Amino acid sequence: MDALIVGAGMSGLMAARTLRDRGYAVQLIERGRSVGGRMATRRVGSGGLADHGAQFFTVRSDALQGYVDRWLAQGLVYIWGTGWSDGSVKRTAGDGHPRYACRGGMNALAKHLASELDLRVNRLATRIERDESGWTLEDSAGDVYRARGLIMTPPAPESLALLTNNGVYLQAEVQAALQRIRFGPCLCGIHEIEGEADLPAPGAMQNFQADVYWVADNRAKGISRTAIVTSHASAKYSRQNWDAPEADIIRELESAVQPHLKAGARIVRTQLKKWRYSVPLTTHAEDCLLADMRPPLVFAGDAFGGRGRVEGAFLSGIAAGAALADALAYYSSRPLRIPVGRRGG
């Protein structure tokens, strides 16, 4: 195997596709039940769907626009809106960037990108080490993988912990760069509604000054046949209340949804989802981080490139795939010598 990628979110998927397009054999492992990471969609009841991670994405780069143009032609994505109400009488001014959503939910895009890739889900990386010939990784099912290069796409704190806990040596500057990355959490509510939601067109409210800053109607969005509302709490509120009783968190989330229901409508059930690493607060300036080591190791994700958006994860994955491809080509004819006593590091 040429390359092993840990994590099949947007970054991991784009890294894999980039390497595959260059002729490299790639294996992905993903700890979740599905690909996509925070490009997550949950089935709720009969006919209900809820995007409960990333709600939409915008495009500011030619690289992503080229993909989006094809996805639009295929009917995979569509423009949901160009801005949101902030909950006041006056509509929030748009910034000129369309907000794209995916037919069937945001996870449908991740599954599209994962097609024809060699990946395994429900596999947590438990052991990892390196030697003269490459990387060895064992997963929670006991399967062992060998590859000449490695890309790590989980949130930086998790990637750093996995490597250091297994005795993998990282240069001080690489470790420091990863430690500087900070994430904010998010407490998310998935609310089943009896009756109708009543949110401003095109079906969402966004107010960054509120404890619960995002409320969206998945039926108005066009992905759910039943009334399912998603709510997101701010990073500050989520951090302060992360360990609060679940009933208290749900009560707060529901209180933010109640004003956006039509007369006679009610919340019949709420599911709570916790995203520990929801939004990058401190990012790494470059699109990926190539460690100065052999065999090659690259870090990627939405916290790279200074963007902190779905687009950032997309571009980081492309950059990581290209960086690893270049490193594999560079080192392929150069023998590696690791001093005795540096096993695994």
Side-chain angles (χ1 to χ4, degrees), residues 77-324:
V77 305
Y78 60 97
I79 296 175
W80 180 16
T82 56
W84 319 112
S85 168
D86 64 0
S88 65
V89 175
K90 183 179 179 181
R91 179 178 175 82
T92 302
D95 59 8
H97 294 287
R99 273 68 168 169
Y100 294 95
C102 306
R103 301 196 187 281
M106 298 294 281
N107 190 246
L109 178 58
K111 289 180 177 178
H112 173 78
L113 292 174
S115 62
E116 301 179 358
L117 294 178
D118 187 358
L119 64 89
R120 297 184 184 182
V121 297
N122 277 327
R123 302 298 182 98
L124 178 68
T126 57
R127 178 178 65 87
I128 189 166
E129 60 184 33
R130 63 181 284 261
D131 59 24
E132 291 86 348
S133 59
W135 294 92
T136 300
L137 184 146
E138 183 175 357
D139 69 20
S140 51
D143 289 334
V144 177
Y145 311 85
R146 290 279 302 171
R148 295 194 295 129
L150 174 66
I151 296 178
M152 299 292 295
T153 71
E158 294 184 341
S159 292
L160 185 58
L162 176 62
L163 292 167
T164 57
N165 289 345
N166 280 278
V168 175
Y169 170 81
L170 294 174
Q171 304 95 323
E173 59 271 23
V174 172
Q175 186 165 334
L178 295 174
Q179 289 173 334
R180 282 193 292 269
I181 294 173
R182 293 287 185 269
F183 287 85
C186 179
L187 297 170
C188 167
I190 303 169
H191 312 274
E192 296 181 64
I193 309 299
E194 182 182 274
E196 298 288 335
D198 186 20
L199 282 152
M205 185 277 295
Q206 185 179 65
N207 180 359
F208 289 113
Q209 304 306 312
D211 287 340
V212 181
Y213 76 94
W214 175 261
V215 180
D217 180 359
N218 291 278
R219 180 154 61 182
K221 185 178 186 179
I223 69 168
S224 179
R225 295 201 303 269
T226 60
I228 310 292
V229 170
T230 299
S231 63
H232 280 175
S234 68
K236 179 180 178 181
Y237 176 89
S238 298
R239 185 182 302 106
Q240 292 173 343
N241 294 276
W242 187 261
D243 295 319
E246 182 172 317
D248 292 348
I249 298 171
I250 288 176
R251 189 178 304 113
E252 181 69 19
L253 294 171
E254 288 183 346
S255 69
V257 173
Q258 290 286 355
H260 303 290
L261 302 182
K262 288 187 176 180
R266 66 186 184 95
I267 301 170
V268 296
R269 189 176 297 104
T270 293
Q271 300 178 45
L272 176 65
K273 166 66 179 179
K274 292 184 173 183
W275 296 103
R276 184 177 295 276
Y277 302 106
S278 175
V279 56
L281 301 178
T282 304
T283 60
H284 183 73
E286 303 299 324
D287 284 337
C288 66
L289 176 59
L290 173 64
D292 184 16
M293 62 193 305
R294 296 180 63 185
L297 167 63
V298 186
F299 297 91
D302 61 355
F304 293 80
R307 300 174 186 87
R309 299 185 298 269
V310 172
E311 184 173 24
F314 175 92
L315 296 175
S316 178
I318 293 175
L324 185 60

Side-chain angles (χ1 to χ4, degrees), residues 30-76:
E30 165 59 42
R31 67 180 178 184
R33 292 178 295 178
S34 178
V35 299
R38 291 193 298 280
M39 301 280 283
T41 306
R42 182 173 296 185
R43 296 192 178 276
V44 184
S46 177
L49 285 178
D51 283 335
H52 60 285
Q55 299 291 292
F56 57 89
F57 66 92
T58 57
V59 180
R60 293 167 170 80
S61 66
D62 291 340
L64 181 53
Q65 189 64 61
Y67 276 86
V68 170
D69 290 343
R70 292 194 293 274
W71 297 337
L72 286 167
Q74 295 167 357
L76 180 62

